[in-house]
Amino acid sequence: MTIQLPDSVRNYFQASNTYESDILLDCFVEDAIFDDIGTIYTGRVAIKNHLVQENNDLNTHTSILKGVKVKDDYLVTAKVSGDFAGSPINFNFLFTTKNEKISKIKISLVD
């Protein structure tokens, strides 16, 4: 069952797809943690730099397939396509929020 996602999570995907780095940055708390399949980025600036480079260099587009609430977190399964080997690939995005902003994202491959 897909649920209503928090604004910060919806805005994260929208900003990623439209390459709007300022909107993307505003989705996160200052000390957010971004775990991109085991590579950790800490803080809004480091996360923004990583995402801008990944999104722009690989011409990525993300389509949400489903979203579910898991305890206090949100698990979003999404299809990511772009200029990379194996495209498209489905990923799980586990979001933790704090004060209506993203405090942590953990990305993993869908089994």
Side-chain angles (χ1 to χ4, degrees):
M1 176 172 115
T2 297
I3 51 111
Q4 180 69 25
L5 297 170
D7 288 344
S8 59
V9 173
R10 285 195 328 270
N11 291 343
Y12 165 83
F13 286 109
Q14 180 180 348
S16 293
N17 285 335
T18 57
Y19 307 102
E20 296 178 75
S21 59
D22 290 334
I23 293 172
L24 189 63
L25 186 65
D26 194 47
C27 295
F28 294 93
V29 297
E30 193 64 41
D31 59 347
I33 298 169
F34 189 94
D35 179 343
D36 192 352
I37 312 176
T39 302
I40 309 295
Y41 301 88
T42 303
R44 290 171 44 166
V45 173
I47 293 168
K48 175 186 169 186
N49 291 341
H50 169 66
L51 290 174
V52 166
Q53 180 179 358
E54 288 290 306
N55 291 348
N56 293 349
D57 288 353
L58 300 177
N59 193 31
T60 62
H61 181 80
T62 305
S63 300
I64 296 174
L65 301 175
K66 70 177 180 175
V68 295
K69 191 161 174 67
V70 180
K71 296 182 184 177
D72 293 329
D73 297 332
Y74 298 89
L75 178 63
V76 175
T77 301
K79 177 173 65 173
V80 180
S81 58
D83 299 332
F84 56 88
S87 176
I89 299 175
N90 290 345
F91 292 95
N92 285 322
F93 295 74
L94 183 62
F95 290 87
T96 303
T97 59
K98 176 179 164 185
N99 299 325
E100 300 182 19
K101 299 227 179 201
I102 299 166
S103 60
K104 182 175 182 181
I105 299 177
K106 180 176 174 121
I107 300 175
S108 60
L109 290 168
V110 172
D111 294 331

